Amino acid sequence: MELISLVGNCAAFLTTISFLPQAIKTIKSRDTRQLSLPMYLMFVAGVALWIVYGLHVNSMPIIVGNVITLLLAGSILTVKIKSTFSSKRG
């Protein structure tokens, strides 16, 4: 494996796995008060676009890393949206 491919794979791994602690904490606690809804909406949309780009250029590190990130950040966003709308009703 070329050095630049190793760097890309490490970058994809680290940026992807960085969402795991926040996802676990958010899912367990359901506390999303300190999380920004606009930030997560923009981030998840951006990750989805990275997946489209990765498919277009046929780059597995981009595709796999962003699919996993989409699942983790998407789960945080889902909890945030549910929390936001349930607090406005009650």
Side-chain angles (χ1 to χ4, degrees), residues 59-87:
S59 174
M60 287 312 280
I62 292 174
I63 297 166
V64 172
N66 283 288
V67 165
I68 295 167
T69 302
L70 182 66
L71 293 172
L72 294 172
S75 66
I76 296 168
L77 177 60
T78 300
V79 174
K80 177 64 177 174
I81 289 171
K82 286 181 179 180
S83 173
T84 299
F85 288 108
S86 69
S87 67

Side-chain angles (χ1 to χ4, degrees), residues 6-43:
L6 182 61
V7 169
N9 284 322
C10 286
F13 175 77
L14 290 172
T15 56
T16 297
I17 204 72
S18 70
F19 274 87
L20 189 57
Q22 186 67 59
I24 291 170
K25 181 179 178 182
T26 302
I27 291 167
K28 281 184 176 180
S29 71
R30 300 284 184 203
D31 182 10
T32 62
R33 290 173 291 176
Q34 297 299 317
L35 301 178
S36 168
L37 180 58
M39 178 271 181
Y40 270 94
L41 286 168
M42 290 185 285
F43 184 77

